[in-house]
């Protein structure tokens, strides 16, 4: 393995220089921060050394890669055998039967007991990627029996009222995390890479600090991604709140014990694929010492496909006791059926929804009324 060192006074520029030389998929091994004395010894200046692995020519022995692939495949099989059905404790199977069917259900047959506006509403929900069985549950709550046809039809003034009735019966809402103030609360944000955990953690932190005048501290366990800690530290500095980094369980527990007089501790974790069992296990081990007193939030993107979203929830629930779902990127999809599908089928409560990239503005507490607006439109 060959390594090239880039040196300079701006880390982002060094990373860009390395990408220009070796391409976007560079492998950054490490970086160091050196302090140089300024002229006449007045203060210090930071200088960075960035260590980058030089990509090898495409002469890597094929046999070695094949061996690695076989080893990884064997490990995956062993792990899957040790987790029989990935079924969370005290929770029904998170992957509904109608998700895994090889052929889509016959919609006409499924909805044959409905008529009129109810049938129109069902088809509208399905067009937004609401699962047919979920749509049926929701709509039936707003229906009465039509005597002429002996079928179910809406008995509410509007379609939105019908959906709201169904949502209130089948979906639980946490409300704002600061609604109940009984001592220190610890909230950990977990989820796949790229769903916006760090950004939305600081949206919530901003609300607590600016609007509620609460004492908030942030701890990051993400020491893997280059620049992740720096980004979080910048947010914390803007809010003037303490920020800590802890990459192992003992340090995390010690740090939390030093913050007992705070109202909230928000913990940011590294994004991991739901298929990366080893890494998910690492996160669980780090958070393990706090598991009894911690609210774990699973962060998910609204632009996920139904199958992928259920798989994420299923896998993460095997490792963590998920207390609520936080949805992101609602502004990036026109079919947000997940807002109904996931909480109804998994029975996990919902908390917040991210509506854009701005901090702290673009986040809302989920309620039946705004779920309906996202699904049916204003």
């Amino acid at each position: 393995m060959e390594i090239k060192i880039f040196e300079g006074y701006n880390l982002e520029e060094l990373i860009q220089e390395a990408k220009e030389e070796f391409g976007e998929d560079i492998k950054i091994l490490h970086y160091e921060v050196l302090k140089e004395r300024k002229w006449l010894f007045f203060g210090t200046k930071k200088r960075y050394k960035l260590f980058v692995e030089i990509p090898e020519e495409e002469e890597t022995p094929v046999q070695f890669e094949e061996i690695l692939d076989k080893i990884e495949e064997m490990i995956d099989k062993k792990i899957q055998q040790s987790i029989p059905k990935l079924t969370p404790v005290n929770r029904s199977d998170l992957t509904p039967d109608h998700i895994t069917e090889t052929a889509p259900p016959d919609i006409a047959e499924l909805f044959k007991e409905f008529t009129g506006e109810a049938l129109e509403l069902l088809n509208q929900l399905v067009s937004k990627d609401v699962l047919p069985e979920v749509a049926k549950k929701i709509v039936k709550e707003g229906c009465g029996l039509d005597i002429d046809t002996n079928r179910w039809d809406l008995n509410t003034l509007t379609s939105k009222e019908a959906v709201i009735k169904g949502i209130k019966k089948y979906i639980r809402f946490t409300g704002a995390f600061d609604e109940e103030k009984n001592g220190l609360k610890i909230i950990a944000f977990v989820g796949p890479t790229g769903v916006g955990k760090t950004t939305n953690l600081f949206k919530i932190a901003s609300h607590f600090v600016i609007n509620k005048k609460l004492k908030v501290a942030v701890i990051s366990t993400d020491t893997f991604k280059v620049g992740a800690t720096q980004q979080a530290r910048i947010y914390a500095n803007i809010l003037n709140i303490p920020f800590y980094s802890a990459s192992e369980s003992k340090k995390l527990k010690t740090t939390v014990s030093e913050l007992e007089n705070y109202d909230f501790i928000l913990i940011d974790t590294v994004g991991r694929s739901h298929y990366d069992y080893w890494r998910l296990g690492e996160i669980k081990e780090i958070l393990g010492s706090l598991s009894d007193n911690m609210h774990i939030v699973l962060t998910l993107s609204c632009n996920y496909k139904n199958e992928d979203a259920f798989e994420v929830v299923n896998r993460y629930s095997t490792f963590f006791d998920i207390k609520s779902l936080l949805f992101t990127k609602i502004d990036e999809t026109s079919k947000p059926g997940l807002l109904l599908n996931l909480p109804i089928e998994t029975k996990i409560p919902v908390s917040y929804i991210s509506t854009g990239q701005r901090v702290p503005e673009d986040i809302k507490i989920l309620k039946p009324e705004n779920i309906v607006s996202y699904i049916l439109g204003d």
Side-chain angles (χ1 to χ4, degrees):
M1 178 178 70
E2 292 188 58
I3 299 174
K4 182 167 181 179
I5 302 174
F6 295 82
E7 297 188 44
Y9 297 99
N10 186 303
L11 181 59
E12 296 298 330
E13 290 180 0
L14 294 179
I15 294 174
Q16 187 59 38
E17 182 182 343
K19 288 182 177 181
E20 289 176 357
E21 183 169 342
F22 298 117
E24 289 292 326
D25 297 327
I26 59 169
K27 184 174 182 181
I28 297 174
L29 302 175
H30 178 60
Y31 75 89
E32 295 178 357
V33 181
L34 308 174
K35 292 185 177 180
E36 293 183 344
R37 288 187 178 275
K38 293 184 179 179
W39 186 62
L40 293 180
F41 306 99
F42 289 106
T44 60
K45 186 176 182 180
K46 289 184 179 180
R47 182 165 62 87
Y48 297 91
K49 293 178 72 174
L50 182 70
F51 296 79
V52 177
E53 180 179 338
I54 299 177
E56 297 181 1
E57 299 294 330
E58 295 187 359
E59 296 180 358
T60 306
V62 176
Q63 292 181 348
F64 181 69
E65 292 183 354
E66 290 178 351
I67 292 173
L68 285 179
D69 289 340
K70 289 180 179 179
I71 292 174
E72 290 181 0
E73 186 178 339
M74 291 171 62
I75 292 173
D76 280 345
K77 286 182 179 179
K78 287 290 184 181
I79 295 173
Q80 289 178 13
Q81 290 172 1
S82 67
I83 309 175
K85 294 184 180 180
L86 293 171
T87 304
V89 179
N90 296 326
R91 192 172 288 151
S92 60
D93 186 3
L94 296 177
T95 306
D97 294 337
H98 47 278
I99 284 292
T100 55
E101 291 177 354
T102 55
D106 186 337
I107 301 296
E109 179 66 22
L110 189 63
F111 297 159
K112 66 180 181 180
E113 59 188 290
F114 296 88
T115 188
E117 293 179 344
L119 188 57
E120 291 178 11
L121 179 56
L122 286 166
N123 289 324
Q124 186 178 0
L125 292 176
V126 171
S127 73
K128 295 292 185 178
D129 270 358
V130 177
L131 298 172
E133 289 287 354
V134 171
K136 186 176 177 179
K137 277 185 179 181
I138 289 288
V139 173
K140 196 166 186 177
E141 291 303 310
C143 286
L145 193 63
D146 179 71
I147 298 176
D148 293 333
T149 62
N150 199 32
R151 295 181 182 182
W152 297 105
D153 200 357
L154 297 188
N155 60 5
T156 56
L157 292 177
T158 66
S159 296
K160 287 187 176 182
E161 289 180 26
V163 177
I164 287 175
K165 287 184 70 173
I167 288 175
K168 286 182 176 179
K169 177 171 182 178
Y170 290 107
I171 298 180
R172 292 183 293 154
F173 297 82
T174 65
F177 289 153
D178 61 318
E179 281 187 356
E180 297 180 6
K181 289 180 61 179
N182 296 316
L184 173 65
K185 287 189 176 181
I186 304 171
I187 303 174
F189 295 74
V190 302
T193 305
V195 295
K197 290 186 300 299
T198 303
T199 301
N200 286 286
L201 178 153
F202 277 100
K203 288 178 185 177
I204 294 173
S206 299
H207 172 71
F208 288 169
V209 173
I210 298 171
N211 299 327
K212 298 293 185 175
K213 310 301 179 185
L214 298 172
K215 292 184 66 178
V216 179
V218 174
I219 304 174
S220 175
T221 66
D222 186 356
T223 58
F224 180 81
K225 182 181 175 184
V226 174
T229 302
Q230 286 81 354
Q231 179 195 17
R233 194 179 298 277
I234 290 171
Y235 280 132
N237 288 339
I238 293 173
L239 292 173
N240 195 27
I241 60 177
F243 174 83
Y244 302 87
S245 180
S247 58
E248 50 93 20
S249 179
K250 185 177 180 180
K251 184 176 180 181
L252 178 62
K253 187 175 182 179
T254 301
T255 303
V256 168
S257 67
E258 295 172 354
L259 299 168
E260 291 181 348
N261 62 331
Y262 277 73
D263 297 307
F264 282 91
I265 297 175
L266 307 182
I267 301 176
D268 190 21
T269 64
V270 61
R272 291 300 184 193
S273 165
H274 50 293
Y275 293 111
D276 194 342
Y277 308 107
W278 296 116
R279 299 302 183 187
L280 290 177
E282 287 178 359
I283 299 173
K284 181 179 180 180
E285 194 278 329
I286 294 172
L287 299 178
S289 60
L290 308 175
S291 57
D292 293 336
N293 303 310
M294 183 166 46
H295 183 111
I296 298 182
V297 184
L298 177 58
T299 311
L300 287 164
S301 172
C302 287
N303 57 21
Y304 277 178
K305 294 180 180 179
N306 281 312
E307 295 89 342
D308 295 332
F310 276 103
E311 189 70 4
V312 169
V313 176
N314 200 359
R315 304 272 175 169
Y316 265 85
S317 292
T318 302
F319 288 87
F320 306 100
D321 183 15
I322 306 299
K323 298 296 185 182
S324 69
L325 302 175
L326 188 156
F327 291 97
T328 66
K329 303 186 180 182
I330 187 65
D331 55 317
E332 297 182 16
T333 180
S334 61
K335 296 183 176 183
L338 286 182
L339 293 178
L340 295 177
N341 299 334
L342 281 179
I344 288 177
E345 293 297 308
T346 67
K347 298 179 175 60
I348 301 175
V350 296
S351 53
Y352 290 80
I353 187 164
S354 172
T355 59
Q357 296 298 318
R358 294 179 301 168
V359 177
E361 301 96 313
D362 292 339
I363 193 165
K364 294 180 179 179
I365 302 164
L366 270 173
K367 301 176 181 179
E369 292 75 16
N370 54 22
I371 289 183
V372 171
S373 293
Y374 293 127
I375 296 291
L376 299 182
D378 291 323

